[in-house]
Amino acid sequence: MIRFEKVTKVYEHQQTALDRVSFEIAAGEFVSIVGQSGSGKTTLVRLIIAEEHPSSGTMTIGDWDITHIKHSEVPTLRRQIGVVFQDFKLLPTKTVFENVAFALEVSAAPQHVIKRIVPKVLKIVGLEEKQDRFPGRLSGGEQQRVVIARALVHRPKIFVADEPTGNLDAINADEIIDLLKRINGFGTTVVLVTHNKEIVNKLRKRVITLDHGVIVSDQKSGKYLL
Amino acid sequence: MLAFFRAITFAAQNFWRNIWLSIVTVVILTLVVFFISVLFGVRTTADHALADVRSRVDISMFFVPEATEAEIFELQSRLERLPEVASVAYVSKDDALAAFREENAGDERIESALEAVGVNPLQASLVIKAKELEQYPQILSVVNDPVYEKLVEQDRAADAKITFIQDFSRFTRNLSRIGLWLTIVFSLIAVLVVFNTIRLTIHAYNREISIMKLVGASNAFIRAPFLIESVFYALIAIAIALGVVWLVLFVSADFLDRLFEGFDFSVASTLWSQFFTVFGPPALLMLLLSMVSSAAAVGRYLRV
Ligand SMILES: Nc1ncnc2c1ncn2[C@@H]1O[C@H](COP(=O)(O)OP(=O)(O)OP(=O)(O)O)[C@@H](O)[C@H]1O
Ligand SMILES: [Mg+2]
């Protein structure tokens, strides 16, 4: 599903964020990516959604070689990948429903599709009761669930979450992880970037560990090493 | 189609969310469109006035009393053959006298003076119209031929007339040059204002834009609202400015006609009948500039 082959990313000023990284993630897998701060985890996520481009190496998503993806094809790629970042970006002037609908509106989905899909994804994240609230009146965990719902509207084949629990307490964090497991249960490939040792150890799923831009371990049912 | 409709809705939201910025932008654009339209209007009026004056210029060649009609007709046909000449009309002594009498009809003293003289004191003449103002000296040089020299006395006012027209056309040329520079300066102001407004709007919509990118909105869809927003600004400004121009023309029609008394055209009705040919170009210019500068702002500040 996701294949990296000797992918290197060098930022300006010779800052090497990833150094010849190779791995393959199969369809339906749940993979955690761990590593210390600055080890290149976010860079990896940004490469997957083509927000950054590799300096060398090849990347494929499914059968699609996105190494030199065209500018105009990026939106198509992004509709196949749901992404969630640590700093949940919700629109404070829109309700929960409108925030989720926004993702469909801007992709030119017709109104009847919006009316059908939004309640569905809100139900998946367990917020159907709170769809008319504004984000300011939701807990951090609930806000993050809205962001996840929004990332699901295009029924992505891949779901990438970069420290989705970073700002949350343990209970809210657990809820988010459960949600990711549910999403994985639908057959969606999930890539979870995290700092959280307990979460990784509890998951008992595949763990890829990065250190200074290099993969130092890749375990089938891993533990947090560092 | 749906995407286009949504883009318009988004543009309208941009417009309302920064309503004060939108108002300021529209006001400035309106002033710019208004001033440029006035410049275009003045220019058109000056062009008409000049054409009017030019078309009415002619030069008379007066003949000494001894000149025979045969000689005069010969000169006439010679002049008519010149490519620079538009028309040559013969005014005989009798025609001249009749015209003179008509002009001074009822003036006893002139009547009695004419009686006293006994013979027709007026001269026969040829009234020459050139195709171009600049060609008069050349046409008149024909008379330098010794055959005609002794027959002809030239129009004493001719030089003054020609100089006046040349000054007047230089004046209108300068007027259009100044107009052009002012148009450029005003356009530049409009460009900067729209650029800055769109830049600020993009800034205000940072969050929306990054969400749109993340959820896979197409690049065109992310950009379109900002371009449409600038079209809104331009269209509103054009509508207001041209409405005001129309109103000003309506109110001052009589005044303008008095100002241009003696000219063969009415300023207000000329501008009205050519409203869109005169004021369409500045309006279109503004629409275009507005779109170009918002496209520039989008290209510069909206990295998609
Ligand atoms: N846009 C950029 N320009 C230059 N260097 C960058 C850029 N983004 C990241 N880096 C550098 O690349 C390296 C990897 O950064 P990255 O954000 O991928 O780390 P990370 O593992 O996500 O860290 P964290 O756990 O703190 O989020 C770091 O040394 C960082 O300073
Ligand atoms: Mg990071």
Side-chain angles (χ1 to χ4, degrees):
Chain A
M1 196 74 210
I2 307 174
R3 228 169 100 95
F4 273 47
E5 242 172 292
K6 300 206 179 88
V7 170
T8 298
K9 175 64 192 177
V10 183
Y11 286 112
E12 290 144 42
H13 312 300
Q14 307 303 318
Q15 179 79 53
T16 305
L18 289 178
D19 188 6
R20 282 162 293 166
V21 168
S22 301
F23 62 85
E24 191 168 349
I25 296 173
E29 251 190 294
F30 191 125
V31 180
S32 303
I33 299 196
V34 301
Q36 278 168 353
S37 184
S39 56
K41 306 180 298 292
T42 299
T43 301
L44 196 136
V45 172
R46 289 162 75 186
L47 285 172
I48 293 175
I49 60 172
E51 209 173 275
E52 291 286 351
H53 302 286
S55 311
S56 66
T58 37
M59 294 159 33
T60 43
I61 302 282
D63 301 328
W64 191 2
D65 187 339
I66 62 160
T67 316
H68 304 291
I69 187 168
K70 273 193 250 142
H71 201 62
S72 55
E73 291 173 341
V74 171
T76 315
L77 174 71
R78 301 231 175 118
R79 286 178 205 191
Q80 297 176 24
I81 304 175
V83 213
V84 171
F85 286 105
Q86 173 177 355
D87 51 335
F88 5 89
K89 279 196 175 117
L90 290 173
L91 299 172
T93 55
K94 287 186 189 289
T95 64
V96 167
F97 186 95
E98 288 163 349
N99 262 285
V100 177
F102 184 73
L104 286 164
E105 278 170 16
V106 300
S107 332
Q111 207 60 44
H112 67 91
V113 172
I114 295 177
K115 285 211 182 95
R116 183 165 50 79
I117 291 188
V118 175
K120 225 182 207 171
V121 292
L122 283 177
K123 191 155 181 239
I124 293 173
V125 302
L127 283 176
E128 68 270 47
E129 308 280 284
K130 297 182 175 167
Q131 63 168 24
D132 294 324
R133 287 220 201 160
F134 287 95
R137 306 199 39 204
L138 293 176
S139 74
E142 286 168 335
Q143 288 183 37
Q144 188 61 292
R145 269 145 63 190
V146 178
V147 175
I148 291 172
R150 187 180 64 197
L152 290 175
V153 292
H154 293 305
R155 305 161 179 273
K157 295 194 208 71
I158 299 168
F159 195 91
V160 185
D162 189 354
E163 314 226 18
T165 59
N167 289 340
L168 305 178
D169 60 32
I171 296 169
N172 273 314
D174 279 346
E175 276 179 24
I176 296 294
I177 298 303
D178 282 343
L179 185 51
L180 292 184
K181 281 200 261 184
R182 291 240 324 269
I183 292 166
N184 182 237
F186 301 145
T188 307
T189 311
V190 175
V191 177
L192 167 67
V193 170
T194 183
H195 261 131
N196 194 317
K197 192 173 181 173
E198 282 172 41
I199 287 174
V200 175
N201 290 342
K202 227 190 290 180
L203 266 170
R204 298 174 188 287
K205 302 269 190 188
R206 181 175 169 197
V207 178
I208 295 176
T209 310
L210 279 174
D211 188 26
H212 290 97
V214 180
I215 294 184
V216 291
S217 102
D218 184 348
Q219 297 175 294
K220 264 275 157 276
S221 170
K223 291 223 164 187
Y224 198 96
L225 285 181
L226 301 162
Chain B
M1 199 57 222
L2 179 66
F4 182 65
F5 182 74
R6 284 237 172 91
I8 290 180
T9 318
F10 277 51
Q13 281 170 11
N14 292 3
F15 192 92
W16 286 117
R17 190 153 123 182
N18 287 304
I19 188 66
W20 288 107
L21 182 65
S22 303
I23 289 174
V24 170
T25 308
V26 166
V27 167
I28 293 173
L29 286 192
T30 304
L31 289 176
V32 169
V33 178
F34 180 75
F35 281 127
I36 294 180
S37 299
V38 168
L39 289 172
F40 272 62
V42 168
R43 208 215 127 128
T44 306
T45 308
D47 283 350
H48 269 86
L50 181 64
D52 185 56
V53 171
R54 272 169 178 266
S55 74
R56 279 191 289 155
V57 167
D58 52 34
I59 278 180
S60 301
M61 238 179 223
F62 293 99
F63 292 89
V64 296
E66 299 78 40
T68 64
E69 284 209 319
E71 286 171 321
I72 294 173
F73 287 147
E74 196 205 322
L75 179 57
Q76 181 180 16
S77 62
R78 173 139 179 214
L79 285 168
E80 278 171 343
R81 280 198 301 275
L82 293 176
E84 298 89 4
V85 170
S87 71
V88 185
Y90 172 54
V91 181
S92 70
K93 279 185 181 188
D94 296 342
D95 295 339
L97 185 62
F100 186 71
R101 278 225 161 93
E102 197 172 324
E103 264 176 48
N104 298 288
D107 191 329
E108 298 289 325
R109 280 178 309 152
I110 291 197
E111 277 300 318
S112 55
L114 284 174
E115 299 278 300
V117 174
V119 294
N120 181 352
L122 295 177
Q123 295 170 295
S125 62
L126 287 177
V127 180
I128 303 163
K129 271 194 173 183
K131 284 180 185 148
E132 297 292 337
L133 193 70
E134 292 70 25
Q135 293 162 338
Y136 281 108
Q138 206 180 332
I139 294 169
L140 292 176
S141 68
V142 170
V143 195
N144 292 341
D145 188 329
V147 184
Y148 302 116
E149 216 166 17
K150 58 183 194 306
L151 297 178
V152 172
E153 283 171 22
Q154 281 191 13
D155 184 349
R156 286 153 298 269
D159 284 349
K161 273 191 205 168
I162 291 172
T163 315
F164 167 72
I165 308 266
Q166 280 169 346
D167 286 349
F168 191 48
S169 56
R170 196 169 321 118
F171 168 73
T172 58
R173 267 204 305 279
N174 285 337
L175 199 70
S176 358
R177 197 171 312 131
I178 294 169
L180 180 69
W181 280 110
L182 286 177
T183 304
I184 291 173
V185 170
F186 284 141
S187 304
L188 221 61
I189 293 173
V191 165
L192 289 178
V193 166
V194 172
F195 185 87
N196 192 51
T197 300
I198 299 298
R199 183 181 69 86
L200 291 174
T201 317
I202 290 172
H203 198 69
Y205 277 77
N206 225 336
R207 200 180 267 260
E208 275 87 346
I209 291 165
S210 60
I211 293 171
M212 284 196 227
K213 288 184 200 169
L214 219 52
V215 299
S218 72
N219 297 334
F221 187 87
I222 298 177
R223 290 189 169 125
F226 298 99
L227 295 178
I228 295 172
E229 185 188 343
S230 74
V231 171
F232 283 170
Y233 292 136
L235 288 183
I236 296 174
I238 288 167
I240 298 175
L242 293 193
V244 172
V245 168
W246 181 281
L247 212 71
V248 167
L249 274 181
F250 185 76
V251 170
S252 62
D254 289 341
F255 168 75
L256 287 172
D257 281 347
R258 251 178 289 130
L259 197 66
F260 284 81
E261 212 176 335
F263 283 90
D264 222 10
F265 69 102
S266 150
V267 178
S269 38
T270 305
L271 289 179
W272 260 325
S273 66
Q274 302 179 15
F275 200 80
F276 289 103
T277 26
V278 176
F279 301 114
L284 280 181
L285 175 78
M286 198 44 54
L287 185 62
L288 210 74
L289 286 178
S290 196
M291 287 171 75
V292 167
S293 49
S294 89
V298 164
R300 174 85 175 67
Y301 297 104
L302 213 170
R303 297 251 152 267
V304 289

